[in-house]
Amino acid sequence: MLSIRLRLTLWYSSILLAILFLFAGTIYFGVRRALQASVDGELQSRVNGVESYLNRQVPRFDLNRIRDELEENVLIQVSSTNADLEPLGGEMLQISDGQGRWYCQSRSMQELKIAAPVSSHETGLVTRKVTGAPMRIQTASLQIDGHAFVIQVAASMAGLQATLARIANLMAWSIPVFVIAASAGGYWLSRRALTPVDRIIETSRAIGHHNLSQRLVVPQSGDELQRLSETLNEMIDRLDRAFRRVTRFTADTSHELRTPVAFIRTTAEVALLQPRQPREYQHAFVGVLTEAERMTTLIEDLLLLARADSNSVPLIRVSLDLRDVLRRAVEQVRDSALDKGIDLSLELPQNTATLVGEPSALYRLFLILIENAVKYTERDGRVKISLVANARSSVVWVRDTGIGIAEKELPLIFDRFYRSDKARQRDLGGAGLGLSIASSIADAHQTHIEVDSKLGEGSTFSIAFPR
């Protein structure tokens, strides 16, 4: 399996090679076209010079004299040793009458043996191989005073093709060398750039359940690597907190279950040590039943939380009136409040507080909050439940004058098996799952529980249900 840096290098090299080939092809064909256009322009200029000369000479002389004039201006000038004397039409020129008869033919054209066109209509530019060498030939026809002239000029393309061959050879060896050098540099740069990634990988591999407190070193580079390291550290933080919650949850569950199991076992063993009176057996059975009921409640609460975590039990939502649910919950707790002399009051609006939710789950939620308020309120204290409904929401408040919650403990009260120090000191019972269950029910109804509390002054729990 190829590494990331090698794949990046191959990808970079492929793109670079394609770009260079495209650039080289553009340059090559552009140069070829420019050089050929230069040659064609030169040939056309020579043809224009010959045509201008013939237009001046033909009306003045007969054909024989014209032949003499052409030989004088072409053949003699071509053989001249004067370098500054440029022959008419260049060194490669021939003129015929269109029927294969020559008016004039330079020595170079004689040696190349380029045949005259058989028709005055064969004009234009062509490239032919003559004696193995490429030649560019320009043919033009001209009519002067009833006389036909076919002009041919030529230029060798050997120099042009040699130039193009040198350009092609230069590109053929320079492109691979450049690509190899650039790929090596790219591989070195990618290796250097990905070194922090390697460190992230090594550190991540070393982190396990035994050292979730370890974190990645965050490079202060301000780029994607810094954001990646910070994101991974945040993920490890979440995993660490989740692992700690699971570990604490497992330990607390074991502790809470061990107590009733130990009591049941001890009671049964003591009862079986020797024969006893029926009343003693009955007393033992009552204790066993009480602890079994406590254990059953604990297990049911744990199963409820487990289902809430996995979303395996969807809520059956119906339209309901929150006033009815609150009345049921308050009536369930009223006897306990009376036993402690607590003033338990319920304030409900005249208009209905309609909500779509699961009645049993909402009843459990309110029951937990009201029972907690009664449980942690001193004798002769007050617990007030109120409901305010409007077009946008229905808000439920549960206020008490109880022992209150310390500010540092407020973020923890919804954790499973958590009980405040005051609650533990007063030995008010409970496994510490109630508020966790209430919070999960609130989450399932797209809301949350807010708490305002001061130690020794009481607490206020509020829930706003969107309508």
Side-chain angles (χ1 to χ4, degrees):
M1 185 176 180
L2 297 177
S3 63
I4 293 179
R5 62 172 64 95
L6 186 55
R7 289 201 299 270
L8 287 174
T9 302
L10 291 176
W11 177 77
Y12 166 76
S13 301
S14 301
I15 293 180
L16 181 61
L17 187 61
I19 293 174
L20 288 177
F21 270 121
L22 180 62
F23 176 76
T26 303
I27 294 296
Y28 178 84
F29 289 108
V31 169
R32 188 179 75 171
R33 184 174 181 179
L35 292 176
Q36 184 168 309
S38 176
V39 172
D40 292 347
E42 178 64 24
L43 290 176
Q44 185 62 49
S45 177
R46 288 161 58 186
V47 167
N48 292 339
V50 175
E51 288 181 349
S52 177
Y53 176 79
L54 290 175
N55 281 319
R56 293 195 308 270
Q57 300 297 328
V58 170
R60 300 165 51 195
F61 307 108
D62 58 17
L63 291 179
N64 291 328
R65 179 68 181 273
I66 292 298
R67 287 189 177 91
D68 294 338
E69 291 290 334
L70 289 171
E71 288 178 357
E72 181 180 352
N73 284 279
V74 177
L75 301 179
I76 294 177
Q77 289 183 17
V78 170
S79 61
S80 174
T81 58
N82 186 354
D84 297 329
L85 184 62
E86 184 176 353
L88 179 67
E91 295 184 0
M92 296 184 182
L93 169 67
Q94 59 186 15
I95 305 173
S96 70
D97 60 2
Q99 304 298 322
R101 294 186 295 273
W102 298 110
Y103 286 121
C104 171
Q105 191 177 30
S106 68
R107 185 180 304 165
S108 298
M109 296 296 270
Q110 292 175 5
E111 292 175 355
L112 294 174
K113 298 179 180 180
I114 298 177
V118 297
S119 172
S120 61
H121 299 292
E122 296 181 9
T123 60
L125 283 162
V126 294
T127 302
R128 296 178 187 167
K129 275 199 172 184
V130 181
T131 63
M135 301 294 295
R136 188 71 168 166
I137 303 172
Q138 170 85 43
T139 303
S141 62
L142 183 65
Q143 290 286 338
I144 306 176
D145 288 345
H147 301 289
F149 297 91
V150 178
I151 306 167
Q152 283 186 308
V153 294
S156 174
M157 301 289 285
L160 182 147
Q161 291 197 349
T163 301
L164 292 176
R166 286 194 294 272
I167 293 175
N169 289 333
L170 177 63
M171 292 178 175
W173 67 262
S174 63
I175 288 178
V177 170
F178 183 78
V179 169
I180 291 173
S183 300
Y187 183 82
W188 178 80
L189 287 175
S190 65
R191 183 175 182 180
R192 183 175 181 180
L194 292 175
T195 298
V197 177
D198 290 334
R199 289 198 292 267
I200 291 174
I201 293 172
E202 293 174 0
T203 306
S204 300
R205 284 177 176 172
I207 295 176
H209 65 89
H210 56 285
N211 61 343
L212 279 173
S213 59
Q214 184 177 350
R215 295 295 180 267
L216 303 175
V217 177
V218 179
Q220 300 303 315
S221 54
D223 56 9
E224 289 79 2
L225 287 177
Q226 180 177 348
R227 294 198 297 273
L228 175 62
S229 301
E230 292 172 347
T231 302
L232 288 176
N233 279 340
E234 292 172 0
M235 181 189 69
I236 296 171
D237 284 337
R238 292 193 298 269
L239 291 175
D240 188 18
R241 290 194 298 270
F243 187 79
R244 291 179 184 275
R245 283 198 302 269
V246 170
T247 302
R248 186 171 64 249
F249 179 76
T250 303
D252 291 341
T253 302
S254 301
H255 174 75
E256 294 293 335
L257 289 175
R258 182 174 56 189
T259 301
V261 170
F263 178 84
I264 292 172
R265 180 177 177 179
T266 301
T267 302
E269 288 176 347
V270 171
L272 294 174
L273 283 177
Q274 59 185 4
R276 300 181 183 276
Q277 297 296 322
R279 176 176 292 184
E280 294 177 328
Y281 284 120
Q282 185 178 10
H283 178 73
F285 289 150
V286 169
V288 169
L289 179 60
T290 301
E291 291 301 317
E293 289 176 347
R294 177 187 171 194
M295 188 165 55
T296 300
T297 301
L298 177 60
I299 293 173
E300 289 176 349
D301 289 344
L302 292 174
L303 289 175
L304 177 61
L305 290 172
R307 294 191 187 101
D309 289 341
S310 63
N311 295 320
S312 59
V313 182
L315 296 178
I316 303 175
R317 301 177 185 272
V318 297
S319 180
L320 53 88
D321 189 346
L322 277 180
R323 297 180 303 173
D324 298 333
V325 181
L326 284 171
R327 288 190 188 100
R328 289 176 52 208
V330 170
E331 289 303 318
Q332 179 69 26
V333 186
R334 190 170 296 280
D335 290 341
S336 300
L338 290 175
D339 290 341
K340 293 182 65 176
I342 293 174
D343 179 16
L344 179 62
S345 62
L346 174 63
E347 291 185 0
L348 300 176
Q350 294 297 324
N351 58 312
T352 60
T354 306
L355 176 69
V356 177
E358 183 174 279
S360 61
L362 292 174
Y363 170 76
R364 181 87 181 265
L365 165 61
F366 297 139
L367 185 62
I368 290 171
L369 296 181
I370 298 171
E371 282 183 338
N372 279 354
V374 172
K375 181 187 299 183
Y376 296 113
T377 298
E378 302 282 353
R379 179 172 291 277
D380 299 327
R382 296 188 308 276
V383 174
K384 181 179 180 180
I385 300 95
S386 57
L387 169 63
V388 175
N390 54 44
R392 291 185 300 177
S393 65
S394 298
V395 184
V396 176
W397 282 279
V398 179
R399 300 180 176 91
D400 65 64
T401 58
I403 61 176
I405 305 169
E407 184 177 355
K408 65 178 181 179
E409 294 181 331
L410 286 176
L412 306 174
I413 60 174
F414 294 103
D415 291 349
R416 297 168 187 181
F417 293 109
Y418 181 82
R419 288 192 296 165
S420 66
D421 291 338
K422 294 278 285 182
R424 292 182 184 276
Q425 291 171 7
R426 292 168 179 261
D427 193 22
L428 295 175
L433 294 177
L435 288 180
S436 296
I437 295 172
S439 177
S440 66
I441 295 173
D443 291 340
H445 287 82
Q446 288 77 52
T447 187
H448 62 280
I449 304 174
E450 294 185 355
V451 186
D452 182 19
S453 181
K454 290 184 179 180
L455 196 62
E457 296 183 9
S459 305
T460 299
F461 288 78
S462 63
I463 317 170
F465 296 93
R467 301 185 68 177

